[in-house]
mmCIF file of all heavy atoms in Angstrom:
data_model
loop_
_atom_site.group_PDB
_atom_site.id
_atom_site.type_symbol
_atom_site.label_atom_id
_atom_site.label_comp_id
_atom_site.label_asym_id
_atom_site.label_seq_id
_atom_site.Cartn_x
_atom_site.Cartn_y
_atom_site.Cartn_z
ATOM 1 N N GLY U 19 3.366 -7.673 5.236
ATOM 2 C CA GLY U 19 4.013 -8.785 5.814
ATOM 3 C C GLY U 19 3.705 -10.102 5.181
ATOM 4 O O GLY U 19 4.531 -10.896 4.871
ATOM 5 N N LEU U 20 2.436 -10.212 4.784
ATOM 6 C CA LEU U 20 1.847 -11.445 4.211
ATOM 7 C C LEU U 20 2.551 -11.687 2.725
ATOM 8 O O LEU U 20 3.005 -12.828 2.449
ATOM 9 C CB LEU U 20 0.509 -11.538 4.006
ATOM 10 C CG LEU U 20 -0.210 -12.690 3.356
ATOM 11 C CD1 LEU U 20 -0.202 -13.979 4.260
ATOM 12 C CD2 LEU U 20 -1.715 -12.322 2.992
ATOM 13 N N LEU U 21 2.676 -10.600 2.053
ATOM 14 C CA LEU U 21 3.169 -10.693 0.698
ATOM 15 C C LEU U 21 4.638 -10.424 0.507
ATOM 16 O O LEU U 21 5.299 -10.553 -0.501
ATOM 17 C CB LEU U 21 2.398 -9.728 -0.262
ATOM 18 C CG LEU U 21 0.977 -9.941 -0.404
ATOM 19 C CD1 LEU U 21 0.268 -8.830 -1.067
ATOM 20 C CD2 LEU U 21 0.657 -11.308 -1.064
ATOM 21 N N ASP U 22 5.322 -10.041 1.575
ATOM 22 C CA ASP U 22 6.738 -9.595 1.619
ATOM 23 C C ASP U 22 6.844 -8.324 0.696
ATOM 24 O O ASP U 22 7.866 -8.310 -0.078
ATOM 25 C CB ASP U 22 7.615 -10.762 1.217
ATOM 26 C CG ASP U 22 9.073 -10.454 1.697
ATOM 27 O OD1 ASP U 22 9.336 -9.677 2.566
ATOM 28 O OD2 ASP U 22 9.985 -11.065 0.999
ATOM 29 N N TRP U 23 5.950 -7.455 0.650
ATOM 30 C CA TRP U 23 6.052 -6.177 -0.112
ATOM 31 C C TRP U 23 6.407 -5.090 0.964
ATOM 32 O O TRP U 23 6.477 -5.433 2.077
ATOM 33 C CB TRP U 23 4.756 -5.807 -0.757
ATOM 34 C CG TRP U 23 4.304 -6.827 -1.922
ATOM 35 C CD1 TRP U 23 4.997 -7.924 -2.283
ATOM 36 C CD2 TRP U 23 3.230 -6.653 -2.883
ATOM 37 N NE1 TRP U 23 4.411 -8.546 -3.335
ATOM 38 C CE2 TRP U 23 3.303 -7.776 -3.668
ATOM 39 C CE3 TRP U 23 2.182 -5.711 -2.886
ATOM 40 C CZ2 TRP U 23 2.333 -7.925 -4.767
ATOM 41 C CZ3 TRP U 23 1.237 -5.927 -3.891
ATOM 42 C CH2 TRP U 23 1.429 -7.047 -4.860
ATOM 43 N N HIS U 24 6.488 -3.885 0.380
ATOM 44 C CA HIS U 24 6.789 -2.762 1.387
ATOM 45 C C HIS U 24 5.679 -1.752 1.269
ATOM 46 O O HIS U 24 4.747 -1.635 0.366
ATOM 47 C CB HIS U 24 8.160 -2.119 1.004
ATOM 48 C CG HIS U 24 8.111 -1.392 -0.290
ATOM 49 N ND1 HIS U 24 8.313 -2.097 -1.532
ATOM 50 C CD2 HIS U 24 7.804 -0.089 -0.527
ATOM 51 C CE1 HIS U 24 8.145 -1.131 -2.580
ATOM 52 N NE2 HIS U 24 7.945 0.043 -1.904
ATOM 53 N N ILE U 25 5.686 -0.921 2.414
ATOM 54 C CA ILE U 25 4.561 0.138 2.473
ATOM 55 C C ILE U 25 5.266 1.351 1.794
ATOM 56 O O ILE U 25 6.364 1.797 2.275
ATOM 57 C CB ILE U 25 4.205 0.415 3.909
ATOM 58 C CG1 ILE U 25 3.491 -0.801 4.464
ATOM 59 C CG2 ILE U 25 3.265 1.762 4.041
ATOM 60 C CD1 ILE U 25 2.914 -0.642 5.816
ATOM 61 N N GLY U 26 4.785 1.730 0.646
ATOM 62 C CA GLY U 26 5.339 2.791 -0.208
ATOM 63 C C GLY U 26 4.972 4.090 0.301
ATOM 64 O O GLY U 26 5.723 5.080 -0.024
ATOM 65 N N HIS U 27 3.873 4.254 0.836
ATOM 66 C CA HIS U 27 3.265 5.594 1.435
ATOM 67 C C HIS U 27 2.268 5.296 2.434
ATOM 68 O O HIS U 27 1.493 4.413 2.380
ATOM 69 C CB HIS U 27 2.690 6.324 0.156
ATOM 70 C CG HIS U 27 2.142 7.708 0.585
ATOM 71 N ND1 HIS U 27 2.865 8.728 0.691
ATOM 72 C CD2 HIS U 27 0.860 8.048 0.826
ATOM 73 C CE1 HIS U 27 2.051 9.801 1.116
ATOM 74 N NE2 HIS U 27 0.841 9.338 1.057
ATOM 75 N N GLU U 28 2.296 6.190 3.364
ATOM 76 C CA GLU U 28 1.202 6.124 4.370
ATOM 77 C C GLU U 28 0.958 7.575 4.971
ATOM 78 O O GLU U 28 1.893 8.397 5.288
ATOM 79 C CB GLU U 28 1.880 5.291 5.632
ATOM 80 C CG GLU U 28 0.900 4.855 6.543
ATOM 81 C CD GLU U 28 1.301 3.782 7.537
ATOM 82 O OE1 GLU U 28 2.637 3.479 7.540
ATOM 83 O OE2 GLU U 28 0.607 3.238 8.379
ATOM 84 N N GLU U 29 -0.297 7.789 5.164
ATOM 85 C CA GLU U 29 -0.700 9.036 5.800
ATOM 86 C C GLU U 29 -2.008 8.770 6.480
ATOM 87 O O GLU U 29 -2.698 7.682 6.251
ATOM 88 C CB GLU U 29 -0.949 10.159 4.765
ATOM 89 C CG GLU U 29 -1.886 9.923 3.693
ATOM 90 C CD GLU U 29 -1.978 10.958 2.549
ATOM 91 O OE1 GLU U 29 -0.961 11.258 1.925
ATOM 92 O OE2 GLU U 29 -3.022 11.528 2.404
ATOM 93 N N PRO U 30 -2.590 9.617 7.278
ATOM 94 C CA PRO U 30 -3.924 9.292 7.917
ATOM 95 C C PRO U 30 -4.979 9.023 6.893
ATOM 96 O O PRO U 30 -5.236 9.818 5.922
ATOM 97 C CB PRO U 30 -4.268 10.650 8.719
ATOM 98 C CG PRO U 30 -2.941 11.275 8.823
ATOM 99 C CD PRO U 30 -2.124 10.900 7.720
ATOM 100 N N GLY U 31 -5.585 7.840 7.061
ATOM 101 C CA GLY U 31 -6.724 7.391 6.135
ATOM 102 C C GLY U 31 -6.289 6.660 4.818
ATOM 103 O O GLY U 31 -7.135 6.229 4.133
ATOM 104 N N THR U 32 -5.066 6.712 4.589
ATOM 105 C CA THR U 32 -4.483 5.958 3.280
ATOM 106 C C THR U 32 -3.212 5.392 3.572
ATOM 107 O O THR U 32 -2.342 5.906 4.154
ATOM 108 C CB THR U 32 -4.443 7.048 2.203
ATOM 109 O OG1 THR U 32 -5.667 7.767 2.029
ATOM 110 C CG2 THR U 32 -3.973 6.441 0.841
ATOM 111 N N ALA U 33 -3.015 4.164 2.947
ATOM 112 C CA ALA U 33 -1.751 3.435 2.990
ATOM 113 C C ALA U 33 -1.600 2.740 1.670
ATOM 114 O O ALA U 33 -2.509 2.203 1.142
ATOM 115 C CB ALA U 33 -1.640 2.568 4.149
ATOM 116 N N ILE U 34 -0.349 2.703 1.094
ATOM 117 C CA ILE U 34 -0.121 2.038 -0.171
ATOM 118 C C ILE U 34 1.025 0.978 -0.050
ATOM 119 O O ILE U 34 1.971 1.236 0.555
ATOM 120 C CB ILE U 34 0.373 3.071 -1.208
ATOM 121 C CG1 ILE U 34 -0.766 4.090 -1.478
ATOM 122 C CG2 ILE U 34 0.687 2.356 -2.577
ATOM 123 C CD1 ILE U 34 -0.306 5.239 -2.293
ATOM 124 N N VAL U 35 0.707 -0.244 -0.533
ATOM 125 C CA VAL U 35 1.525 -1.428 -0.389
ATOM 126 C C VAL U 35 1.995 -1.677 -1.790
ATOM 127 O O VAL U 35 1.073 -1.778 -2.646
ATOM 128 C CB VAL U 35 0.936 -2.612 0.359
ATOM 129 C CG1 VAL U 35 1.816 -3.900 0.310
ATOM 130 C CG2 VAL U 35 0.526 -2.263 1.805
ATOM 131 N N ALA U 36 3.296 -1.797 -2.026
ATOM 132 C CA ALA U 36 3.783 -2.071 -3.358
ATOM 133 C C ALA U 36 4.707 -3.314 -3.387
ATOM 134 O O ALA U 36 5.581 -3.399 -2.526
ATOM 135 C CB ALA U 36 4.333 -0.795 -3.829
ATOM 136 N N ALA U 37 4.781 -3.947 -4.480
ATOM 137 C CA ALA U 37 5.805 -5.001 -4.833
ATOM 138 C C ALA U 37 7.014 -4.375 -5.170
ATOM 139 O O ALA U 37 8.202 -4.873 -4.830
ATOM 140 C CB ALA U 37 5.284 -5.986 -5.775
ATOM 141 N N SER U 38 7.036 -3.295 -5.849
ATOM 142 C CA SER U 38 8.238 -2.524 -6.317
ATOM 143 C C SER U 38 7.838 -1.044 -6.702
ATOM 144 O O SER U 38 6.586 -0.852 -6.725
ATOM 145 C CB SER U 38 8.864 -3.233 -7.537
ATOM 146 O OG SER U 38 8.113 -2.980 -8.750
ATOM 147 N N PRO U 39 8.748 -0.139 -6.862
ATOM 148 C CA PRO U 39 8.306 1.174 -7.308
ATOM 149 C C PRO U 39 7.430 1.213 -8.531
ATOM 150 O O PRO U 39 6.617 2.189 -8.702
ATOM 151 C CB PRO U 39 9.605 1.932 -7.549
ATOM 152 C CG PRO U 39 10.653 1.067 -6.625
ATOM 153 C CD PRO U 39 10.222 -0.327 -6.792
ATOM 154 N N GLN U 40 7.518 0.222 -9.430
ATOM 155 C CA GLN U 40 6.685 0.270 -10.561
ATOM 156 C C GLN U 40 5.336 -0.600 -10.416
ATOM 157 O O GLN U 40 4.516 -0.534 -11.336
ATOM 158 C CB GLN U 40 7.525 -0.465 -11.764
ATOM 159 C CG GLN U 40 8.649 0.212 -12.226
ATOM 160 C CD GLN U 40 9.885 0.092 -11.280
ATOM 161 O OE1 GLN U 40 10.057 -0.964 -10.742
ATOM 162 N NE2 GLN U 40 10.754 1.102 -11.348
ATOM 163 N N GLY U 41 5.127 -1.133 -9.352
ATOM 164 C CA GLY U 41 3.905 -1.830 -8.984
ATOM 165 C C GLY U 41 4.011 -3.368 -8.994
ATOM 166 O O GLY U 41 5.217 -3.816 -9.267
ATOM 167 N N PRO U 42 3.081 -3.987 -8.892
ATOM 168 C CA PRO U 42 1.622 -3.580 -8.670
ATOM 169 C C PRO U 42 1.476 -3.008 -7.201
ATOM 170 O O PRO U 42 2.399 -3.121 -6.340
ATOM 171 C CB PRO U 42 0.871 -4.887 -8.663
ATOM 172 C CG PRO U 42 1.786 -6.023 -8.405
ATOM 173 C CD PRO U 42 3.161 -5.449 -8.849
ATOM 174 N N PHE U 43 0.352 -2.253 -7.091
ATOM 175 C CA PHE U 43 0.038 -1.595 -5.809
ATOM 176 C C PHE U 43 -1.252 -2.065 -5.181
ATOM 177 O O PHE U 43 -2.199 -2.365 -6.042
ATOM 178 C CB PHE U 43 -0.062 -0.142 -5.952
ATOM 179 C CG PHE U 43 1.018 0.497 -6.644
ATOM 180 C CD1 PHE U 43 1.093 0.716 -8.019
ATOM 181 C CD2 PHE U 43 2.243 0.912 -5.918
ATOM 182 C CE1 PHE U 43 2.216 1.411 -8.686
ATOM 183 C CE2 PHE U 43 3.328 1.525 -6.494
ATOM 184 C CZ PHE U 43 3.263 1.676 -7.892
ATOM 185 N N PHE U 44 -1.456 -1.981 -3.893
ATOM 186 C CA PHE U 44 -2.654 -2.062 -3.267
ATOM 187 C C PHE U 44 -2.806 -0.724 -2.531
ATOM 188 O O PHE U 44 -1.842 -0.327 -1.758
ATOM 189 C CB PHE U 44 -2.742 -3.237 -2.147
ATOM 190 C CG PHE U 44 -2.927 -4.573 -2.741
ATOM 191 C CD1 PHE U 44 -2.115 -5.562 -2.163
ATOM 192 C CD2 PHE U 44 -3.740 -4.876 -3.876
ATOM 193 C CE1 PHE U 44 -2.259 -6.962 -2.719
ATOM 194 C CE2 PHE U 44 -3.817 -6.084 -4.367
ATOM 195 C CZ PHE U 44 -3.133 -7.121 -3.828
ATOM 196 N N VAL U 45 -3.952 -0.020 -2.670
ATOM 197 C CA VAL U 45 -4.075 1.261 -1.968
ATOM 198 C C VAL U 45 -5.314 0.913 -0.987
ATOM 199 O O VAL U 45 -6.361 0.431 -1.282
ATOM 200 C CB VAL U 45 -4.587 2.315 -2.963
ATOM 201 C CG1 VAL U 45 -4.919 3.600 -2.163
ATOM 202 C CG2 VAL U 45 -3.513 2.609 -4.047
ATOM 203 N N PHE U 46 -4.977 1.187 0.245
ATOM 204 C CA PHE U 46 -5.999 0.988 1.391
ATOM 205 C C PHE U 46 -6.443 2.405 1.800
ATOM 206 O O PHE U 46 -5.655 3.291 2.130
ATOM 207 C CB PHE U 46 -5.386 0.242 2.594
ATOM 208 C CG PHE U 46 -4.888 -1.083 2.195
ATOM 209 C CD1 PHE U 46 -3.594 -1.277 1.731
ATOM 210 C CD2 PHE U 46 -5.696 -2.204 2.255
ATOM 211 C CE1 PHE U 46 -3.117 -2.573 1.401
ATOM 212 C CE2 PHE U 46 -5.275 -3.389 1.981
ATOM 213 C CZ PHE U 46 -3.928 -3.641 1.479
ATOM 214 N N GLN U 47 -7.793 2.586 1.769
ATOM 215 C CA GLN U 47 -8.350 3.865 2.030
ATOM 216 C C GLN U 47 -9.389 3.736 3.157
ATOM 217 O O GLN U 47 -10.172 2.734 3.271
ATOM 218 C CB GLN U 47 -8.994 4.549 0.881
ATOM 219 C CG GLN U 47 -8.100 4.985 -0.089
ATOM 220 C CD GLN U 47 -8.706 5.795 -1.287
ATOM 221 O OE1 GLN U 47 -9.882 5.448 -1.586
ATOM 222 N NE2 GLN U 47 -7.916 6.689 -1.787
ATOM 223 N N GLN U 48 -9.531 4.618 4.121
ATOM 224 C CA GLN U 48 -10.415 4.506 5.190
ATOM 225 C C GLN U 48 -11.858 4.621 4.764
ATOM 226 O O GLN U 48 -12.243 5.591 4.001
ATOM 227 C CB GLN U 48 -10.130 5.687 6.139
ATOM 228 C CG GLN U 48 -11.022 5.567 7.420
ATOM 229 C CD GLN U 48 -10.262 5.926 8.667
ATOM 230 O OE1 GLN U 48 -9.217 6.431 8.685
ATOM 231 N NE2 GLN U 48 -10.869 5.607 9.753
ATOM 232 N N ALA U 49 -12.663 3.806 5.301
ATOM 233 C CA ALA U 49 -14.085 3.854 5.030
ATOM 234 C C ALA U 49 -14.824 3.180 6.195
ATOM 235 O O ALA U 49 -14.319 2.197 6.797
ATOM 236 C CB ALA U 49 -14.422 3.004 3.840
ATOM 237 N N GLU U 50 -15.904 3.808 6.560
ATOM 238 C CA GLU U 50 -16.716 3.403 7.684
ATOM 239 C C GLU U 50 -17.904 2.738 7.098
ATOM 240 O O GLU U 50 -18.398 3.208 6.044
ATOM 241 C CB GLU U 50 -17.032 4.403 8.695
ATOM 242 C CG GLU U 50 -15.771 5.087 9.329
ATOM 243 C CD GLU U 50 -14.983 4.127 10.197
ATOM 244 O OE1 GLU U 50 -15.496 3.241 10.730
ATOM 245 O OE2 GLU U 50 -13.794 4.520 10.242
#
């Protein structure tokens, strides 16, 4: 929402936000 990008993939413990299909990407992974 902040960057006006889209969530390209999401599964339990991981989500990927991308500007476009070619990137750039942010990968968010679960960590405690």
Side-chain angles (χ1 to χ4, degrees):
L20 179 72
L21 300 170
D22 196 27
W23 291 8
H24 69 278
I25 296 179
H27 178 80
E28 192 170 9
E29 64 184 58
T32 304
I34 300 172
V35 175
S38 74
Q40 293 79 31
F43 305 97
F44 288 138
V45 179
F46 298 92
Q47 292 185 325
Q48 183 140 16
E50 301 296 330

